[in-house]
């Protein structure tokens, strides 16, 4: 996966959040402890953290604190998600082949960080959609690429429910 995938996932997230910017983002997401605003802040923080860890290389880097305040205006949270995704996309595309970055689950290459970011963006966009009471239908090809890259062992099912299942969000029939 590459930077364009991260930007595509961020665009889907931003479209969802932008269409619901006038709704109550202080609502709790069903089956989670987060509000919609907290999920949006988490997305921006995580994506920027991925960029930093990929750029820093194979050793853990604990010198920075990344914090996006969930009390920010909805439009600013949406822009921050996009800005974080743009930074990661540029780092992914500029990372030399074979280079790896630190992640708690193990070192990953640029493609792995792009896929993890897409998984975060898609999964938490769905969380936000549930909290806002609106539908979310991510791009099929992006979901399939994310599922294939991160979860090659996933069951042979419709990619979107399979990706949600891999992330513990739903049960499959």
């Amino acid at each position: 996966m590459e930077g364009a995938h991260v930007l595509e996932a961020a665009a889907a997230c931003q479209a969802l959040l932008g269409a619901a910017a006038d709704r109550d983002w202080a609502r709790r997401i069903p089956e989670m402890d987060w509000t919609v605003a907290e999920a949006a802040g988490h997305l921006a923080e995580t994506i920027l953290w991925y960029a930093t860890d990929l750029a820093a290389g194979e050793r853990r880097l604990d010198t920075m604190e990344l914090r996006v305040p969930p009390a920010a205006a909805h439009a600013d949270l949406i822009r921050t998600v996009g800005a974080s995704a743009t930074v990661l996309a540029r780092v992914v595309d500029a990372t030399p082949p074979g280079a790896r970055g630190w992640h708690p689950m193990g070192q990953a290459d640029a493609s792995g960080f792009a896929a993890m970011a897409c998984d975060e963006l898609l999964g938490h966009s769905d969380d936000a959609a549930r909290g806002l009471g609106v539908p979310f239908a991510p791009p099929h090809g992006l979901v399939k690429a994310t599922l294939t890259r991160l979860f090659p062992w996933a069951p042979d099912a419709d990619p979107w429910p399979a990706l949600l299942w891999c992330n513990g969000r739903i049960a499959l029939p």
Side-chain angles (χ1 to χ4, degrees):
M1 298 191 73
E2 55 193 34
H5 293 107
V6 175
L7 296 175
E8 182 180 8
C13 176
Q14 290 178 286
L16 167 82
L17 295 174
D22 61 340
R23 293 186 181 239
D24 180 9
W25 285 27
R27 291 178 56 185
R28 292 268 170 219
I29 296 169
E31 302 174 18
M32 293 184 79
D33 291 331
W34 285 345
T35 65
V36 173
E38 288 169 333
H42 166 79
L43 274 172
E45 291 169 359
T46 299
I47 304 310
L48 194 54
W49 174 67
Y50 285 169
T52 302
D53 280 344
L54 178 57
E58 298 177 4
R59 286 190 24 236
R60 184 178 184 158
L61 180 65
D62 286 334
T63 56
M64 295 187 325
E65 291 185 27
L66 304 175
R67 179 83 176 106
V68 175
H74 299 169
D76 291 337
L77 288 171
I78 295 166
R79 285 183 58 226
T80 304
V81 168
S84 294
T86 299
V87 171
L88 176 60
R90 290 178 181 169
V91 171
V92 163
D93 290 344
T95 298
R100 297 205 172 253
W102 185 89
H103 186 273
M105 300 302 288
Q107 294 178 359
D109 63 4
S111 173
F113 274 97
M116 290 186 290
C118 290
D119 187 50
E120 287 278 333
L121 285 158
L122 298 174
H124 289 310
S125 292
D126 187 67
D127 294 336
R130 289 184 297 112
L132 294 165
V134 298
F136 178 61
H140 179 81
L142 178 62
V143 172
K144 188 163 179 53
T146 303
L147 185 66
T148 300
R149 177 62 174 87
L150 291 181
F151 307 105
W153 46 262
D156 186 20
D158 182 5
W160 181 228
L163 186 63
L164 291 172
W165 176 81
C166 287
N167 283 287
R169 297 296 200 280
I170 64 168
L172 289 177

